[in-house]
Structures are given as C-alpha cells and as structure tokens.
Amino acid sequence: MIIWLASYPKSGNTWVRFFLISLLLNNKTDITLKDLDNIKQFPSKSQYERYNINIDLGNMNEVAKNWLGVQKKLNSDNKIRFFKTHNALCKVDENIFTNTENTLGIIHIVRDPRNVISSINNHFHHKNIDASMKFMLDENMVAFIKNYKNKKKFALPQVIGSWKSHYNSWKNMKKNYLLIKYENLINSPFSEFKKISIYLEKILKSKISDDQIKKAIKSSSFEKLQNIEKNQGFSESVIDEKTGVRKNFFSLGPKNNWKELLEDKTVYQINKKFKNEMKELGYL
C-alpha cells in the first residue's frame, strides 16, 4: 500500500523525502541525493514501462487511464511503499488519481503561496513573477518534466491545477492524513518532524527515538542539501532553456521571504485569490 508525500511544487517535498529516507536507512551518515531513489516519484516512465503499458507517455489522458492500474500492480506484493507526487487528487475524465484501496496514508506538505511563487519562478525559469502567478492560478495546469539527462527515469505529465485546488484536493483524502507545514519545519523542526515520526510509528508499527529524529533532521538540513548539490549535482534540478545552465534545486529555502521579495500588488493578488485557504492554514 502507498503512503503519498503529496505537495504542490516547491513546497518542501524533497526535504521531507530526504528526512524520511534518513530515518528509513537508520541515519546512515554518508547519505547522498542519490538515496532519494528510495522514494520515487509517481507517476514515472519506469513504472509504466515495467508493466509494459504501451501508450503515449506524453499524453495526459492515456497516463490518467492507467493511474489506478499501475498502483494496483505496484501494491500487488502487499508491501508499504512511499511515493512523492505533485499530482492533485483529481480526475481526468472519470479516471481518479488514487483511491483508498491503493492508499495507506498521505503526508500532505503545504507552504505559504507567497513564498511558493518565488521558488516556482526560479525553478521553472519563468520570465517574471506574473508568469509564475499565472502558473499558480491555472486550474488546468499540467506540468511536464523536461531537460533531464535521463528523461526515462523521471515523472510523466502531472495534473497540478492551481495552488488552491491542489491543496483542497488532498485535504479531502482523510485516510491516515497528516498535514505538514513548511514554515513549521523551519521554525520548529523537531516538533514538526516528530509529528511525521509519530505518524510513521503508528503505520509502520516501529519505534522511532528522539535521537533518531534529531540525527535525521541534521542529515537533511537545507544547508547540507545545498552542499551536496554543489559538490555532487542533483539530477532533479532543471536546465535553463536559454542559457543551458543547470539551475540550483536547493536555492533560497528558508531565506525565501515574501516580505522582502514580492511587490505589494503580487501579495494582494495572492491574498485575494487564495484567501479562504490561507486563512484556514493560518497564513492570513
């Protein structure tokens, strides 16, 4: 059964993923970004090709028709597995992304959209903040992974939708649901990561000590991830189409402060468009 690490892009999913892997590998000291392969992204080309699903893997409708079928095959061994996804819990035609039969639980990671927009702008190399705003408001947004050296390894097109619809979609999946806020990971790392650990203890039925949590937090710190990317590179970073230069995946992180980076008009627009959700999450 699948435990989803679900988030809108640039909301801390990779950070949580790295923390989980550190725990699962029992705080292995020489953990690297390559260890992220222990928690893969869904959907990916390798998963579809593994089961000989011969479709156009760039066609969103064809990919969606096989979401549940691939998950069922992956779950056929009755093992617990984690998958990262940026896909909304949506339907394409009548094809739903996942269901309770294939899902054991959800760790839902959210981030203040006023900080998400700056990271989106950098990651997707948009020409300006207005383009990133359009991206975050687009209810029909489908993201395609491109510019990776080994495209076969990475994700298929994903239905992201708007920041608002993405958040609202996953919060409605109540089976073993855990909400994690990026801001709490920064401001109160031990208490927030301990929430994740307690959640895992209940599902995996294994004890996780405070010492293990502290070590995993240290091994997955943003500064450490930045240094690893600097020295070893990171295959999930994107290449700027204009310059051909690979952009840093771990860029601003905790230093991404909307109060210093955004113009008032952008803040006003985000607050207006996402008012109810931001109030619900305590951002307003």
Side-chain angles (χ1 to χ4, degrees), residues 104-161:
L104 180 58
I106 305 96
I107 299 175
H108 185 192
I109 308 146
V110 298
R111 187 182 188 185
D112 189 327
R114 293 168 296 190
N115 283 329
V116 170
I117 193 170
S118 300
S119 291
I120 288 287
N121 190 66
N122 177 70
H123 183 71
F124 290 102
H125 45 80
H126 291 157
K127 61 181 179 180
N128 53 41
I129 278 291
D130 289 339
S132 296
M133 176 65 75
K134 184 178 180 181
F135 181 100
M136 291 180 66
L137 291 173
D138 189 349
E139 296 295 348
N140 299 309
M141 177 55 65
V142 174
F144 292 85
I145 300 299
K146 57 184 178 180
N147 288 331
Y148 292 128
K149 290 182 178 178
N150 183 3
K151 294 181 183 179
K152 181 179 178 180
K153 184 179 178 182
F154 291 95
L156 302 181
Q158 298 183 76
V159 180
I160 295 176

Side-chain angles (χ1 to χ4, degrees), residues 213-229:
I213 297 170
K214 290 174 182 176
K215 287 181 178 178
I217 291 172
K218 185 176 180 180
S219 70
S220 59
S221 71
F222 190 82
E223 292 76 15
K224 180 168 183 179
L225 295 178
Q226 275 188 317
N227 288 332
I228 294 174
E229 180 179 18

Side-chain angles (χ1 to χ4, degrees), residues 34-84:
K34 291 182 179 180
D35 289 308
L36 287 174
D37 281 344
N38 286 284
I39 298 180
K40 293 180 171 59
Q41 186 152 284
F42 185 93
S44 72
K45 292 185 178 182
S46 61
Q47 294 154 357
Y48 276 55
E49 290 172 349
R50 173 181 175 183
Y51 299 113
N52 298 315
I53 298 174
N54 298 314
I55 61 171
D56 177 1
L57 295 178
N59 184 311
M60 186 71 257
N61 291 329
E62 291 300 308
V63 170
K65 287 178 183 177
N66 290 278
W67 279 336
L68 292 183
V70 173
Q71 290 171 34
K72 185 176 180 180
K73 290 178 184 295
L74 288 166
N75 283 327
S76 63
D77 59 7
N78 295 316
K79 292 182 179 179
I80 296 175
R81 49 176 46 84
F82 295 85
F83 282 122
K84 164 188 174 177

Side-chain angles (χ1 to χ4, degrees), residues 2 20 23 25 29 51 53 56 61 67 123 137 204 218 247-248 255 260 268 281:
I2 298 168
L20 288 176
L23 281 182
L25 296 181
T29 56
Y51 299 113
I53 298 174
D56 177 1
N61 291 329
W67 279 336
H123 183 71
L137 291 173
L204 303 179
K218 185 176 180 180
K247 305 188 77 171
N248 291 334
K255 294 180 182 179
E260 298 176 0
Y268 174 79
L281 289 163

Side-chain angles (χ1 to χ4, degrees), residues 256-270:
N256 185 356
N257 186 344
W258 63 266
K259 294 178 181 179
E260 298 176 0
L261 298 173
L262 299 184
E263 295 181 0
D264 289 345
K265 67 173 185 178
T266 304
V267 175
Y268 174 79
Q269 189 175 6
I270 292 174

Side-chain angles (χ1 to χ4, degrees), residues 77-213:
D77 59 7
N78 295 316
K79 292 182 179 179
I80 296 175
R81 49 176 46 84
F82 295 85
F83 282 122
K84 164 188 174 177
T85 193
H86 292 314
N87 215 102
L89 183 55
C90 63
K91 282 185 177 181
V92 173
D93 294 329
E94 293 302 313
N95 303 296
I96 192 167
F97 177 69
T98 193
N99 55 21
T100 54
E101 287 74 24
N102 285 293
T103 296
L104 180 58
I106 305 96
I107 299 175
H108 185 192
I109 308 146
V110 298
R111 187 182 188 185
D112 189 327
R114 293 168 296 190
N115 283 329
V116 170
I117 193 170
S118 300
S119 291
I120 288 287
N121 190 66
N122 177 70
H123 183 71
F124 290 102
H125 45 80
H126 291 157
K127 61 181 179 180
N128 53 41
I129 278 291
D130 289 339
S132 296
M133 176 65 75
K134 184 178 180 181
F135 181 100
M136 291 180 66
L137 291 173
D138 189 349
E139 296 295 348
N140 299 309
M141 177 55 65
V142 174
F144 292 85
I145 300 299
K146 57 184 178 180
N147 288 331
Y148 292 128
K149 290 182 178 178
N150 183 3
K151 294 181 183 179
K152 181 179 178 180
K153 184 179 178 182
F154 291 95
L156 302 181
Q158 298 183 76
V159 180
I160 295 176
S162 70
W163 180 89
K164 173 181 177 176
S165 62
H166 193 285
Y167 164 67
N168 284 322
S169 73
W170 279 105
K171 78 175 187 182
N172 291 320
M173 172 68 93
K174 297 301 183 183
K175 185 177 181 181
N176 293 322
Y177 176 87
L178 177 66
L179 178 68
I180 294 295
K181 292 172 66 176
Y182 181 93
E183 293 74 22
N184 291 345
L185 294 174
I186 294 173
N187 298 323
S188 306
F190 179 78
S191 61
E192 197 72 0
F193 278 116
K194 181 154 186 174
K195 280 172 58 178
I196 298 174
S197 301
I198 292 171
Y199 173 89
L200 293 177
E201 284 183 327
K202 292 178 180 177
I203 291 183
L204 303 179
K205 296 180 174 55
S206 62
K207 183 65 178 175
I208 300 172
S209 69
D210 286 355
D211 187 54
Q212 284 177 287
I213 297 170

